[in-house]
Amino acid sequence: MRVREYMVSPAVTVSPETSARQAALRMRQEAVGCLLVVVEGELRGIVTDRDLAVRCLAGECSPQTPVSELMTSSVVTLETADDIATAYYAFRKSGVRRLPVLDGRGRVVGVLSVDDLFLDVFQRLSDLLGPVAWSVLHEPPEPPRPSAALRPSARRR
């Protein structure tokens, strides 16, 4: 499986001059937790809802502060053709929750989040557990018998 099959596309982008307030409003409008900061399709950075809260609000910045002053500019990225195992590794190594996805020419085309990979994990689990669940439905397990420690007579002293 490839990253392109799991990513959300198109990515929500803003220019570096976008104010913190405009970025927050855009996040709310698009129901996203990050914005990719882009100039002519080229990734310059990423700004997250956490960046707005910690770097701007807690840092006592003005709502007019441009996102270029709040964003993370050294961004770990993925490519659409990367194997999903590469994405798991990138998330584990970087410790971030969202990664921009680039096409073969280095242009921003989407975002992959840890939440998107949860869908993969759940699908794989259901694939594994499906046959087990089916066999249990045909032969329901016997109800568990209470242990001696849980029987009322064993609790008395």
Side-chain angles (χ1 to χ4, degrees):
M1 304 295 273
R2 302 285 171 209
V3 166
R4 76 175 137 275
E5 298 171 50
Y6 294 92
M7 71 180 193
V8 173
S9 181
V12 181
T13 64
V14 293
S15 70
E17 299 82 26
T18 303
S19 72
R21 177 167 168 62
Q22 289 171 319
L25 290 170
R26 183 84 188 272
M27 285 183 192
R28 182 176 71 184
Q29 175 186 8
E30 300 288 341
V32 296
C34 76
L35 300 169
L36 301 186
V37 182
V38 173
V39 174
E40 296 180 13
E42 186 178 314
L43 182 66
R44 298 294 170 93
I46 186 171
V47 64
T48 66
D49 47 7
R50 189 175 196 300
D51 293 332
L52 294 177
V54 174
R55 293 180 182 169
C56 188
L57 292 176
E60 299 180 10
C61 291
S62 160
Q64 298 311 313
T65 302
V67 293
S68 60
E69 294 181 27
L70 306 169
M71 69 184 189
T72 300
S73 55
S74 58
V75 182
V76 175
T77 63
L78 296 167
E79 289 196 9
T80 57
D82 285 340
D83 186 78
I84 201 68
T86 302
Y88 278 97
Y89 178 76
F91 279 114
R92 189 171 54 247
K93 187 175 177 186
S94 67
V96 298
R97 295 188 58 225
R98 302 169 186 99
L99 294 173
V101 180
L102 309 177
D103 65 13
R105 300 173 311 191
R107 299 291 204 201
V108 172
V109 292
V111 174
L112 184 70
S113 72
V114 170
D115 294 349
D116 298 326
L117 293 185
F118 283 146
L119 296 174
D120 177 55
V121 170
F122 294 144
Q123 180 62 52
R124 290 173 189 246
L125 279 174
S126 69
D127 290 347
L128 288 173
L129 295 176
V132 173
W134 183 252
S135 68
V136 168
L137 290 173
H138 288 300
E139 289 184 39
E142 293 183 27
R145 297 188 332 178
S147 68
L150 295 177
R151 284 189 225 131
S153 61
R155 288 190 207 156
R156 294 185 194 143
R157 291 194 180 220

